[in-house]
Amino acid sequence: MFLMNVFILTFLVCIKEYAAEATVDQAPSFALVEVGQTVVLSCKTGNHIGRRSDGDCKSCLAWYYQRAGNTPKVLIHSISTLHSDTPSRFVGSGVDHGTEFTLTISGVQSEDAGDYYCQSYHWINSRGVYTFGGGTRLEVGLITPPKLTVLPSSSQEMTMQSKALIMCLANQGFPSDWTLSWKVEGRRRSQETSSGVLQQDGLYSWSSTLTLTQQEWENGVLVLCEATRSGQSAVTGEVRREQCTE
């Protein structure tokens, strides 16, 4: 049993070291640009790509693009070589057996919105390993604060459930990284919020539901829903019992 535990521990340590040597870091994780602007994505690997002893796969670094609902496609391979249908506004850079690479998109177009991933090849522990970065979400457009609607549950629903459910709906916002939060009488309340859902008009919608006790609601507490984004003014919607019809 002791030998088995030693084996398992050794195996886990080896796996941890093995994984650590094959790390690929991408930045930024999210980028927002307007049409016509330029964006640069970076990819840094924890080890040199390829096998330096004989030059094998010295330029094995690729960039992939994925649009929501579609399979990923290759944009660039061999560090800087464009795939046959990749527009020339995409440029890959880096050096053979390097650790730092970039993807530059000049004159960004609306159809460039989506997720970008770098993929690298490493020779580790006498075997080849392909590793993907964590990805970059690129959104293209103008910042648009969402419109908020705050809706309480009906008196009948509260009577049946002995609690009040308050729903916050946010619509027609851009980009997708707006977040919803709640305040009750000025104090934060933690609650789950949906991720932004892309609508047909190219804007996003979000929703969140807050649960109050029936007593809190009947006491007429002020409930605020806030949509926030770094660098932007918060958008708020509010409701209290006195504002609602029975």
Side-chain angles (χ1 to χ4, degrees):
M1 185 64 179
F2 174 76
L3 292 177
M4 179 60 72
N5 288 338
V6 170
F7 171 78
I8 293 174
L9 180 60
T10 302
F11 176 76
L12 292 176
V13 169
C14 289
I15 288 294
K16 184 177 181 180
E17 291 179 351
Y18 175 83
E21 291 178 355
T23 58
V24 177
D25 296 322
Q26 257 186 263
S29 59
F30 177 87
L32 172 65
V33 297
E34 297 178 18
V35 171
Q37 291 184 329
T38 296
V39 63
V40 179
L41 314 183
S42 70
C43 177
K44 296 184 179 182
T45 65
N47 206 347
H48 295 276
I49 63 171
R51 188 167 55 194
R52 303 180 74 186
S53 60
D54 60 5
D56 180 55
C57 217
K58 62 183 180 180
S59 60
C60 286
L61 189 289
W63 289 93
Y64 287 78
Y65 166 75
Q66 183 176 28
R67 197 168 180 85
N70 297 324
T71 57
K73 67 175 185 178
V74 179
L75 288 174
I76 291 175
H77 63 87
S78 303
I79 300 177
S80 60
T81 302
L82 299 182
H83 192 265
S84 58
D85 61 352
T86 300
S88 59
R89 64 178 178 272
F90 292 85
V91 176
S93 64
V95 298
D96 291 347
H97 293 309
T99 61
E100 298 187 8
F101 308 90
T102 61
L103 171 65
T104 302
I105 311 173
S106 302
V108 170
Q109 301 299 303
S110 57
E111 62 265 27
D112 298 337
D115 296 316
Y116 291 81
Y117 300 91
C118 64
Q119 181 201 50
S120 58
Y121 173 88
H122 305 274
W123 187 256
I124 300 174
N125 296 340
S126 301
R127 60 178 295 189
V129 178
Y130 284 98
T131 306
F132 279 95
T136 297
R137 167 64 57 87
L138 176 65
E139 295 194 2
V140 183
L142 298 175
I143 298 173
T144 305
K147 300 176 182 178
L148 299 189
T149 303
V150 185
L151 302 171
S153 53
S154 67
S155 298
Q156 182 179 5
E157 290 175 322
M158 280 185 274
T159 301
M160 294 176 60
Q161 301 179 16
S162 298
K163 59 184 178 182
L165 299 178
I166 316 297
M167 177 170 286
C168 182
L169 302 176
N171 294 289
Q172 298 179 321
F174 190 88
S176 64
D177 62 344
W178 286 87
T179 58
L180 298 182
S181 60
W182 293 93
K183 286 182 180 179
V184 179
E185 291 296 325
R187 296 183 177 182
R188 293 278 180 194
R189 284 285 185 92
S190 298
Q191 206 70 30
E192 290 188 7
T193 301
S194 69
S195 300
V197 178
L198 184 62
Q199 305 299 314
Q200 291 184 348
D201 59 5
L203 302 177
Y204 288 88
S205 65
W206 303 257
S207 65
S208 182
T209 302
L210 174 69
T211 302
L212 298 177
T213 65
Q214 189 172 3
Q215 186 63 48
E216 284 179 311
W217 180 247
E218 291 178 350
N219 286 342
V221 294
L222 176 62
V223 179
L224 289 178
C225 177
E226 288 188 340
T228 56
R229 183 180 187 274
S230 178
Q232 305 298 312
S233 299
V235 180
T236 61
E238 65 178 57
V239 68
R240 65 164 78 230
R241 187 174 183 272
E242 298 90 87
Q243 300 170 341
C244 303
T245 57
E246 295 296 330

